[in-house]
Amino acid sequence: MANVKFFSGENIPLEMHKVRMVQRVFLKPIEERAAAIEEAGYNTFLLRNKDIFLDMLTDSGVNAMSENQYAAMLQADDSYAGSETFYRLEKVLQDMFNMEHFLPAHQGRACEHIIARLLVKPGSTAIMNYHFTTTKAHIVMMGGKVEEIITDEGLQISSDLPFKGDLDINKLKKLISEIDKDKIAFVRIEAGTNLVGGQPVSMQNMREVSKICRAEGLTLVYDASLLSDNLHFIRTRDPEFKDADLRDVTREIGTLMDVIYFSARKLGAARGGGILTSSNELFMKMREMIPLYEGFLTYGGMSVREMEAMAIGLQESLDPDVVSQTPIFVEVLCKELLSRGVPVVTPPGGLGCHVDARQFCSHLSQEEYPAGALAAAMYLASGVRGMERGTLSEQRNPDGSETLAHMELLRLAFPKRVFTLSQVKYVADRLTWLYENRELIGGLTFEEEPRVLRFFFGRLRTIGNWQEKIVQKFRADFGESL
């Protein structure tokens, strides 16, 4: 993406690619959307794609691949062991991060499983800027717990801080002094913060955390799944890296970390994942688990065609025009919504536009799942599927009480090279209408509540018939319009 100043004086993001293949989408009438969301138990994860106009649930596995990625898939070597496809991918990753060892896995949460199984012991603590749902679940299932030490501004909706995803260094030092070092499983940096606005982590913060971990003998783990967006912010928000070669940035990150893992459904715009380390000891221990849980060491549960696409996608993720695609679109939508009074997380982060559901639905308590209710209402009003990132995405405490989330967010994700500017404007328009009629949105309560990762497949119902009121108001304002 490039910000180009037009003769009119506007700064409009200009896509640095052309569309050569399209996929038809459908916008169904609001009555059909109402039936679809009810059938899905008011959980946008359970909607069928045939009922969705714009799918902004996630960027995971739904980014548009390039022509070079598709071409590379034709040279895949599908040998069970010793595949040349693996060695091509390994070489790309070694060059990208300057780390010696690479272990393939079928996606990011598989990497989390391997790392947690190796490093987490009952009673141990994993320290991180902020958790991700599956990361925390793996740690807890191994008997560990999570301590979050994101900078205070990272949990504020509005801020001017450019790197809100940074770990708080003073909190890190304090925790290390309070916890027996043998009880610290690892320190983890997620760049950027998936659950709290896609906020980036600065290179200076990574340097400081790495220095502390090495002095204290602690393992430093880096989740690079959202690295592409983070690279854009490092390059544009940190004067030290203005016009920097992004390969130099990723190589420095590799020198700072003990373990790097990623989901290629995000980083690399393909499907798969992997773990990197320069530690022979860690590599040898993790290597034993790959054939047991994933697949042989040269495919790790992945399709070799996806591995070929991943290798090209990773190289393309070092192109400034590629890494800017999502952040610039997110910024456009955030600014448009702010100009209309709709509350969003600022500064705009990566991954997607994050709407503040707590302020949007200030008449609802967190126990009524305002972010989940807003996601369902947004689908009703627009056919756009977003994702709840709030209390619904947490797990209950052992006593059955709710773990209230720090933020209640509706995430509208931007898969790379998928949407157009007119579609972004449509999203802003329908969300603005919903904000002006926000008093119509009611709460949700569980009908079927899984014990773990309930946001994936739990089913809910509305508290009252508020969905019918939205349908009636929509028809009154838009008539026969979809």
Side-chain angles (χ1 to χ4, degrees):
M1 297 288 290
N3 261 320
V4 176
K5 189 170 184 178
F6 280 61
F7 184 65
S8 64
E10 291 183 274
N11 283 313
I12 300 175
L14 192 64
E15 293 87 346
M16 302 305 291
H17 60 266
K18 61 182 179 181
V19 177
R20 299 180 63 189
M21 184 173 72
V22 297
Q23 184 177 31
R24 182 81 184 274
V25 293
F26 299 91
L27 179 55
K28 294 192 171 183
I30 190 170
E31 291 79 9
E32 294 185 31
R33 300 198 294 265
I37 193 67
E38 183 175 9
E39 184 179 346
Y42 294 90
N43 182 347
T44 57
F45 260 102
L46 300 182
L47 286 167
R48 295 183 62 174
N49 190 57
K50 69 180 181 65
D51 297 318
I52 295 165
F53 174 46
L54 301 179
D55 195 353
M56 305 183 80
L57 183 79
T58 181
D59 66 334
S60 184
V62 290
N63 297 293
M65 294 202 305
S66 70
E67 59 187 346
N68 290 327
Q69 285 182 283
Y70 280 110
M73 294 172 78
L74 298 178
Q75 65 174 350
D77 174 3
D78 59 2
S79 301
Y80 183 90
S83 167
E84 287 303 312
T85 289
F86 168 80
Y87 293 108
R88 282 191 284 268
L89 175 58
E90 180 185 52
K91 184 178 180 181
V92 167
L93 283 161
Q94 288 171 336
D95 179 63
M96 185 173 179
F97 290 108
N98 197 29
M99 299 184 92
E100 183 178 356
H101 304 298
F102 166 58
L103 292 167
H106 79 272
Q107 64 181 86
R109 70 196 55 168
C111 302
E112 293 171 342
H113 169 234
I114 299 294
I115 293 167
R117 186 165 284 273
L118 174 64
L119 297 177
V120 178
K121 303 294 186 290
S124 65
T125 298
I127 302 171
M128 57 191 69
N129 49 349
Y130 208 78
H131 77 277
F132 181 59
T133 51
T134 55
T135 317
K136 185 174 181 178
H138 282 299
I139 292 167
V140 171
M141 289 179 72
M142 294 303 299
K145 67 175 183 177
V146 168
E147 286 284 354
E148 297 164 336
I149 54 168
I150 192 170
T151 180
D152 290 344
E153 288 197 58
L155 299 179
Q156 297 174 7
I157 294 296
S158 299
S159 170
D160 294 324
L161 190 69
F163 294 100
K164 285 169 62 176
D166 282 358
L167 279 77
D168 187 306
I169 297 300
N170 290 328
K171 290 178 183 177
L172 176 60
K173 291 178 180 177
K174 184 172 184 291
L175 270 178
I176 292 173
S177 69
E178 293 174 346
I179 303 173
D180 184 343
K181 275 188 250 183
D182 292 337
K183 293 289 187 179
I184 298 177
F186 55 85
V187 177
R188 172 180 172 270
I189 296 175
E190 181 182 53
T193 56
N194 192 308
L195 293 183
V196 283
Q199 295 299 311
V201 177
S202 68
M203 182 64 80
Q204 184 57 35
N205 190 248
M206 295 183 219
R207 290 167 177 164
E208 291 179 24
V209 174
S210 178
K211 183 178 180 180
I212 292 169
C213 288
R214 293 203 168 149
E216 299 289 347
L218 301 175
T219 301
L220 181 55
V221 176
Y222 186 78
D223 181 349
S225 301
L226 294 174
L227 174 63
S228 180
D229 296 342
N230 210 92
L231 289 175
H232 170 78
F233 292 123
I234 286 175
R235 195 169 185 270
T236 57
R237 295 182 182 177
D238 186 341
E240 179 185 348
F241 295 97
K242 183 181 179 182
D243 301 323
D245 185 332
L246 293 180
R247 193 179 305 275
D248 293 336
V249 179
T250 57
R251 285 174 173 170
E252 180 174 354
I253 292 172
T255 66
L256 298 174
M257 306 301 159
D258 297 304
V259 176
I260 293 178
Y261 75 93
F262 65 96
S263 168
R265 297 177 70 87
K266 296 180 182 291
L267 180 65
R271 288 172 179 79
I275 305 171
L276 293 115
T277 183
S278 290
S279 165
N280 289 325
E281 180 184 359
L282 290 174
F283 171 72
M284 296 300 285
K285 290 178 179 178
M286 289 188 288
R287 186 178 70 167
E288 297 174 358
M289 300 184 200
I290 297 297
L292 184 60
Y293 296 112
E294 294 297 304
F296 192 66
L297 294 172
T298 52
Y299 77 93
M302 285 186 282
S303 156
V304 287
R305 289 163 181 79
E306 293 289 354
M307 293 169 72
E308 292 284 4
M310 187 199 307
I312 300 300
L314 288 166
Q315 294 176 76
E316 291 175 347
S317 69
L318 299 176
D319 181 342
D321 284 335
V322 173
V323 302
S324 65
Q325 172 78 29
T326 292
I328 288 181
F329 258 35
V330 170
E331 184 177 8
V332 167
L333 181 55
C334 285
K335 286 184 175 180
E336 183 72 19
L337 290 173
L338 285 170
S339 71
R340 300 175 183 210
V342 180
V344 299
V345 172
T346 60
L351 181 56
C353 172
H354 293 77
V355 182
D356 180 12
R358 187 180 293 180
Q359 183 178 338
F360 199 114
C361 302
S362 59
H363 54 289
L364 299 179
S365 69
Q366 284 190 267
E367 288 85 356
E368 295 174 296
Y369 310 124
L374 180 55
M378 180 58 181
Y379 170 74
L380 263 178
S382 64
V384 175
R385 173 163 69 167
M387 182 191 291
E388 185 272 358
R389 298 278 68 163
T391 297
L392 196 62
S393 292
E394 298 289 345
Q395 291 179 202
R396 288 188 186 271
N397 296 311
D399 64 1
S401 62
E402 283 288 2
T403 301
L404 300 180
H406 291 106
M407 290 181 168
E408 295 286 345
L409 304 176
L410 164 63
R411 187 183 77 192
L412 298 169
F414 277 92
K416 288 180 174 57
R417 299 176 291 208
V418 172
F419 298 129
T420 66
L421 198 56
S422 66
Q423 290 170 333
V424 174
K425 289 183 176 293
Y426 170 82
V427 173
D429 179 84
R430 289 300 189 261
L431 196 53
T432 302
W433 176 84
L434 195 58
Y435 185 63
E436 292 181 356
N437 294 281
R438 57 192 179 277
E439 75 282 351
L440 298 177
I441 303 172
L444 298 173
T445 188
F446 270 103
E447 280 195 333
E448 179 186 329
E449 183 176 357
R451 186 178 62 85
V452 178
L453 300 176
R454 60 185 183 174
F455 69 94
F456 273 139
F457 42 88
R459 304 184 70 84
L460 303 102
R461 57 179 169 82
T462 59
I463 300 173
N465 295 322
W466 58 264
Q467 74 279 16
E468 295 180 6
K469 297 176 182 178
I470 289 179
V471 173
Q472 291 168 4
K473 179 61 175 171
F474 184 93
R475 278 288 171 238
D477 287 354
F478 293 102
E480 294 302 312
S481 171
L482 297 173

